Amino acid sequence: MIQACVTISLVEQARGGPFVFWGDLEIAFRAAKQARFDAVEIFAPSAESLAQLPLSGLLEAEGLKLAALGTGAGWVLHRRHLVSPQAAERREAEAFIRAIIDKAGEFGAMAIIGSMQGHFGAEVDRTAALAYLAGSLDRLGEHAGQYGVPLLFEPLNRYETNLLHTLGDAGDLLDSMASDNVRLLADLFHMNIEEQDIASALTAAAAKIGHIHFVDSNRHAAGLGHLEYEPIAAALKQIGYSGYLSAEALPLPNSEQAALETMATFRKYF
Ligand code: LER
Ligand code: MN
């Protein structure tokens, strides 16, 4: 059964980013529950910062599951990524992600590699960058395996990375790797920019999809843009997708409205 999830950002420096709830975890959890989400996805400054929070108590109090933890703060706060020209920086990026995988693992939740994939440039060409990325995904995917969860890799649109933009290309990288414990995060906003046809791309990547960012064409809540959800829902039902649809949307017109609009669209199509 497909379940509904909603994003919460605890990273002040990411203001303006596509997260439905911001700041206070207790308030966000209560609002998520009220809007009838099943789970939350948290974007936090670090694994250490999460360790300071009464996460399990709060999840239990609201009857919510932790679906996933983002790792992008390694880029936003520290400018580290997995294909940096400096070996020491690549190691730091991997260590940052590994700690978040460990924290997520305590909750049976997945970690997401989005902006931590980085980008190639003058010092590291595309081939070398993809080799670094595959190496890291291999190691981190195996690391996540001990918790019985896959590692999530998210292809981003061309304005956010120059590495891999479509589910097909990202899936080819996964196929080339030793680990079979990395899955794709299909973000409907990125797909709307990069895929020829969203429903066909979802169908073609079927078995590789581990998580979905549920959002509209303009990064507003699902229902507030021009995506057509009917073919997307039909494709997900046809492939038997049984993970989360996680609202990764701008908090517009405000967090509560974005959450309610997402759930109205979720109920209409799923
Ligand atoms: C940002 O565009 C996004 O989709 C995130 O999930 C990646 O870190
Ligand atoms: Mn996303």
Side-chain angles (χ1 to χ4, degrees):
M1 199 182 67
I2 298 177
Q3 296 189 71
C5 176
V6 64
T7 52
I8 303 168
S9 171
L10 304 176
V11 180
E12 201 47 46
Q13 292 85 340
R15 278 277 167 199
F19 303 98
V20 173
F21 292 112
W22 286 84
D24 191 297
L25 215 49
E26 207 172 327
I27 293 173
F29 276 27
R30 204 171 309 133
K33 188 63 192 177
Q34 243 160 34
R36 302 181 55 198
F37 284 93
D38 301 294
V40 292
E41 175 183 320
I42 301 177
F43 184 68
S46 64
E48 294 74 20
S49 72
L50 282 162
Q52 308 299 315
L53 299 168
L55 206 47
S56 27
L58 289 176
L59 287 165
E60 218 167 285
E62 299 297 345
L64 289 163
K65 282 170 285 196
L66 181 66
L69 293 177
T71 64
W75 169 247
V76 173
L77 300 180
H78 308 292
R79 286 296 183 253
R80 291 291 175 267
H81 63 77
L82 292 172
V83 304
S84 162
Q86 310 301 327
E89 293 190 4
R90 294 196 299 277
R91 279 197 297 273
E92 285 168 21
E94 230 180 89
F96 185 90
I97 294 166
R98 194 173 294 112
I100 292 184
I101 290 172
D102 291 334
K103 180 44 76 181
E106 287 175 28
F107 298 86
M110 303 171 285
I112 298 168
I113 296 186
S115 52
M116 286 298 274
Q117 69 195 265
H119 45 270
F120 70 88
E123 292 173 81
V124 175
D125 68 15
R126 181 179 171 77
T127 308
L130 289 175
Y132 286 150
L133 180 61
S136 285
L137 292 178
D138 254 335
R139 289 186 288 276
L140 294 169
E142 286 308 287
H143 188 73
Q146 69 186 290
Y147 302 109
V149 291
L151 173 70
L152 296 171
F153 175 69
E154 179 175 18
L156 306 174
N157 75 69
R158 66 192 67 186
Y159 306 107
E160 298 186 34
T161 181
N162 55 10
L163 285 176
L164 297 162
H165 303 135
T166 62
L167 295 191
D169 285 348
D172 287 346
L173 187 78
L174 301 197
D175 284 340
S176 77
M177 292 166 22
S179 174
D180 63 356
N181 198 42
V182 184
R183 300 278 179 282
L184 298 175
L185 195 176
D187 180 318
L188 300 181
F189 171 79
H190 299 307
M191 293 183 75
N192 178 58
I193 296 171
E194 299 293 346
E195 304 286 357
Q196 240 173 49
D197 181 86
I198 296 177
S200 315
L202 290 167
T203 303
K208 295 194 178 86
I209 301 175
H211 196 58
I212 293 178
H213 277 159
F214 185 56
V215 58
D216 221 313
S217 53
N218 47 6
R219 252 303 174 222
H220 288 239
L224 297 179
H226 57 72
L227 273 195
E228 286 178 27
Y229 289 97
E230 216 159 272
I232 293 171
L236 292 178
K237 284 173 195 163
Q238 188 254 323
I239 65 173
Y241 178 71
S242 61
Y244 291 102
L245 290 186
S246 185
E248 191 189 55
L250 295 165
L252 297 172
N254 55 56
S255 296
E256 287 66 28
Q257 284 298 116
L260 292 174
E261 188 66 39
T262 296
M263 282 309 286
T265 303
F266 180 81
R267 283 184 197 296
K268 182 166 172 194
Y269 295 101
F270 294 93

